Amino acid sequence: GAVVSQHPSWVICKSGTSVKIECRSLDFQATTMFWYRQFPKQSLMLMATSNEGSKATYEQGVEKDKFLINHASLTLSTLTVTSAHPEDSSFYICSASSGGGNTEAFFGQGTRLTVV
Amino acid sequence: GESVGLHLPTLSVQEGDNSIINCAYSNSASDYFIWYKQESGKGPQFIIDIRSNMDKRQGQRVTVLLNKTVKHLSLQIAATQPGDSAVYFCAENGGTSYGKLTFGQGTILTVHP
């Protein structure tokens, strides 16, 4: 099956610093990647949709200047949380889809971000 | 905005019982629905999906039922096992791409040996 890998699995950073999370499709080309955020005991909320070679499309209420998304290749998308604050602590999950989003998306294992 | 919701936040069953997890959705444009299982600290794991041109689909020990008239989705797990204990989410695509999903609130399934 299709494999999506996130790195790191968990990260602790100091308030005010930036942290980058990688999402890789290991055995297929992902034209579209999606980034979700999940707070404890809550559901997944879509943050943004990323198409390879294009600017990401952010959901309402998500700050594009704070959550920088880059999808420069068909196998890699990155999410950078800039000037992180404790309220940004969350579980960040990506999914990847081939076929321009008209095929099933496969999820990564998630990245636990803790900002101290 | 429109959302997907669940009737029951928790469900406790005995090992061997059948489990039914329900989900209501509100976006009539949705044409693709998925059930996911999420274990603690992990990403969602695909269980089964169904498209709007179907009302039932079966997998291994799982069945998904879709009632478009009342916008209701259910997941049935046969002979539930302790390893099935997890949070289960329904998700729908809002008529957009298959990957752009709106998730329901989740149901915690606990299976007692």
Side-chain angles (χ1 to χ4, degrees):
Chain A
V3 179
V4 176
S5 177
Q6 282 184 241
H7 178 81
S9 297
W10 59 271
V11 57
I12 301 173
C13 71
K14 291 185 176 180
S15 186
T17 62
S18 296
V19 60
K20 180 184 288 187
I21 301 169
E22 295 184 346
C23 177
R24 292 182 185 273
S25 57
L26 300 185
D27 51 3
F28 68 101
Q29 293 186 326
T31 56
T32 307
M33 289 185 171
F34 304 89
W35 287 95
Y36 295 81
R37 179 169 53 183
Q38 184 179 31
F39 292 109
K41 300 189 186 302
Q42 294 189 24
S43 188
L44 285 76
M45 296 294 292
L46 180 66
M47 299 176 66
T49 302
S50 168
N51 290 300
E52 186 265 338
S54 303
K55 288 185 178 180
T57 301
Y58 291 81
E59 296 299 300
Q60 190 172 9
V62 178
E63 301 174 61
K64 61 180 175 62
D65 294 331
K66 181 169 184 61
F67 299 99
L68 301 179
I69 293 173
N70 182 281
H71 191 169
S73 80
L74 285 171
T75 58
L76 174 64
S77 176
T78 60
L79 168 68
T80 301
V81 183
T82 63
S83 186
H85 291 284
E87 58 265 31
D88 298 323
S89 298
S90 188
F91 194 50
Y92 292 87
I93 310 169
C94 73
S95 68
S97 172
S98 62
N102 289 321
T103 57
E104 177 190 348
F106 300 92
F107 281 85
Q109 76 275 29
T111 297
R112 172 72 61 194
L113 170 64
T114 302
V115 184
V116 298
Chain B
E2 302 198 80
S3 63
V4 181
L6 289 171
H7 297 299
L8 298 174
T10 61
L11 177 63
S12 293
V13 300
Q14 291 296 126
E15 181 178 3
D17 287 352
N18 295 332
S19 301
I20 299 176
I21 301 172
N22 296 300
C23 178
Y25 67 95
S26 57
N27 191 338
S28 57
S30 293
D31 56 10
Y32 181 59
F33 306 85
I34 314 171
W35 280 100
Y36 289 97
K37 173 186 180 182
Q38 187 179 31
E39 297 174 316
S40 181
K42 297 184 179 179
Q45 176 187 349
F46 174 91
I47 300 174
I48 191 168
D49 61 0
I50 189 167
R51 289 171 170 76
S52 59
N53 60 351
M54 303 173 68
D55 53 20
K56 180 180 180 179
R57 191 157 188 240
Q58 289 183 294
Q60 188 176 14
R61 284 202 303 121
V62 294
T63 300
V64 55
L65 299 177
L66 173 63
N67 186 329
K68 295 182 289 294
T69 302
V70 295
K71 298 190 184 69
H72 184 268
L73 193 68
S74 68
L75 176 70
Q76 300 177 2
I77 305 174
T80 317
Q81 303 167 1
D84 294 328
S85 295
V87 181
Y88 288 80
F89 292 97
C90 63
E92 50 94 11
N93 75 333
T96 62
S97 70
Y98 288 168
K100 186 177 179 181
L101 301 173
T102 298
F103 280 77
Q105 67 184 69
T107 292
I108 301 172
L109 175 64
T110 304
V111 183
H112 301 283

